[in-house]
Amino acid sequence: MTLLQMRYFLAVCRYQNITHAAGELHIAQSTLSQSMQALEDETGLNLFLRTGRTIMISQAGQQLAQKLARLLQQVDQVESEIHDMALRHSKVRIAIPQQQASYLMPYLLSEFHQQHPEIQLDITEPYGLEAVRLVHDEKVDLAVINSDDSNQPDIHYRRLASRPIGFVVWEDHPLASRTSITLEEAASMPVAMLSEEFYVTRVVLRAMHQHDLTPKVRYFSPHLSTLYSLLRHHTLPAILFERSLVEMPGLVTIPFAEGLRLTGAILTKKNRQSSKDQRLVMKFIFEKLSAIPSQE
């Protein structure tokens, strides 16, 4: 017994009329009659009581109809769930903290969208630590972060090329012509930094502590745009990750002599299969972030 036969049979049961049932199903009456005869032959049941052109459903037919109705309801539910799964696979949830987002977002919302208009990107912009938690809780499919030494056993880290952390000034700043700066020099000057939820800040503060240095941080901000504003208004230098400064006009990044760097990573949950759409997004991000020329 096929699903098509089941649907044909239930249509005949509803109408108790071959002509009307065939009309609903958009098939020939002869086709429907032959299908019902084949169903009776296959099941060995007398499903219909025929009187001339009138048919009635037998008791056995009514019992079979009840069973098939429940079965087809389950089939329809499974088909609906499969459809929903397919739709979810065309939606990729991504967490990208500010420093990575400042570079990636224009490419994801333009170039990637043009290449794959069928894939919907649901992008949130958390802190780095929050991005890891979102992957852990499976609230996003992947995250792009500046990695730190806080690897979790249930998170898979796909490493990206490392990039320098720099001391950032404006073009006519007295230090703008310098080719490098030491941590000690940076610690002696008032600066602005991102808040400690950001990997770049924790790496810098840890390096300062290891050298017994205390930086003169005048302002911690959770917003990269605030630090850009301070730099553009020549208010305070900042210590930032090089990648967040790509294509920012009027700013100069001075590498640290100690070679402070951050390694980016694409995070996914271990033992969770990635969809084809997710793999396409990860491939695109990996290529874009690996292709950024270093400003060293």
Side-chain angles (χ1 to χ4, degrees):
M1 186 186 308
T2 66
L3 288 175
L4 192 60
Q5 281 180 309
M6 297 179 194
R7 297 189 190 280
Y8 283 1
F9 175 63
L10 290 180
V12 173
C13 291
R14 284 197 301 275
Y15 287 102
Q16 298 196 41
N17 185 290
I18 293 291
T19 301
H20 293 165
E24 179 190 287
L25 297 169
H26 303 291
I27 61 174
Q29 295 181 42
S30 58
T31 299
L32 183 56
S33 295
Q34 291 170 8
S35 178
M36 293 302 96
Q37 183 61 56
L39 185 60
E40 285 187 311
D41 293 342
E42 182 179 342
T43 61
L45 299 173
N46 293 321
L47 303 174
F48 308 103
L49 303 174
R50 298 173 176 84
T51 304
R53 294 185 177 180
T54 303
I55 63 171
M56 295 181 62
I57 310 303
S58 67
Q59 184 176 0
Q62 292 173 7
Q63 292 175 348
L64 179 61
Q66 291 174 359
K67 295 179 183 297
L68 294 184
R70 290 195 296 269
L71 178 60
L72 287 177
Q73 185 177 21
Q74 294 177 336
V75 170
D76 291 341
Q77 179 64 31
V78 170
E79 290 178 345
S80 176
E81 290 174 359
I82 292 173
H83 179 69
D84 289 343
M85 289 169 61
L87 289 178
R88 285 198 296 272
H89 283 166
S90 65
K91 178 179 179 180
V92 180
R93 303 166 300 165
I94 315 173
I96 311 179
Q98 291 180 40
Q99 292 190 91
Q100 299 284 17
S102 64
Y103 176 82
L104 272 177
M105 288 300 291
Y107 290 102
L108 286 170
L109 297 180
S110 58
E111 185 178 337
F112 183 83
H113 178 69
Q114 291 171 7
Q115 293 176 5
H116 302 284
E118 76 284 1
I119 300 177
Q120 178 185 344
L121 300 180
D122 185 357
I123 302 173
T124 184
E125 195 174 286
Y127 300 123
L129 291 175
E130 177 67 8
V132 177
R133 188 189 65 79
L134 290 174
V135 173
H136 176 272
D137 294 344
E138 299 188 20
K139 292 184 178 179
V140 297
D141 302 306
L142 60 105
V144 185
I145 68 166
N146 295 322
S147 61
D148 200 6
D149 57 358
S150 57
N151 294 6
Q152 297 191 36
D154 61 340
I155 301 294
H156 181 54
Y157 287 72
R158 292 171 175 85
R159 300 294 182 183
L160 300 165
S162 64
R163 300 285 170 175
I165 297 171
F167 191 84
V168 186
V169 297
W170 45 95
E171 288 180 336
D172 57 354
H173 189 278
L175 298 177
S177 60
R178 292 278 298 271
T179 58
S180 67
I181 187 172
T182 66
L183 283 170
E184 185 175 2
E185 289 175 310
S188 68
M189 291 177 277
V191 295
M193 297 182 70
L194 291 169
S195 52
E196 293 187 44
E197 292 87 353
F198 290 84
Y199 287 127
V200 61
T201 299
R202 297 207 305 278
V203 169
V204 171
L205 294 180
R206 185 164 58 231
M208 294 273 191
H209 178 73
Q210 290 171 351
H211 287 78
D212 294 322
L213 300 172
T214 302
K216 295 180 179 179
V217 183
R218 291 282 181 84
Y219 187 70
F220 282 108
S221 174
H223 303 295
L224 193 58
S225 58
T226 303
L227 269 61
Y228 288 158
S229 179
L230 293 173
L231 287 163
R232 285 195 298 267
H233 288 85
H234 301 184
T235 305
L236 284 172
I239 299 177
L240 291 169
F241 182 49
E242 175 212 66
R243 184 169 288 152
S244 64
L245 299 167
V246 173
E247 300 177 1
M248 287 298 295
L251 300 182
V252 177
T253 302
I254 308 169
F256 281 100
E258 291 82 359
L260 295 188
R261 301 176 72 90
L262 274 182
T263 301
I266 299 175
L267 276 55
T268 54
K269 185 73 175 289
K270 284 185 179 178
N271 302 320
R272 183 170 183 253
Q273 186 174 3
S274 297
S275 70
K276 177 183 176 182
D277 293 340
Q278 292 167 17
R279 292 193 296 271
L280 284 172
V281 173
M282 286 190 286
K283 180 175 182 292
F284 180 86
I285 291 174
F286 186 87
E287 291 174 351
K288 284 300 172 186
L289 292 184
S290 298
I292 301 174
S294 174
Q295 295 178 359
E296 289 181 295

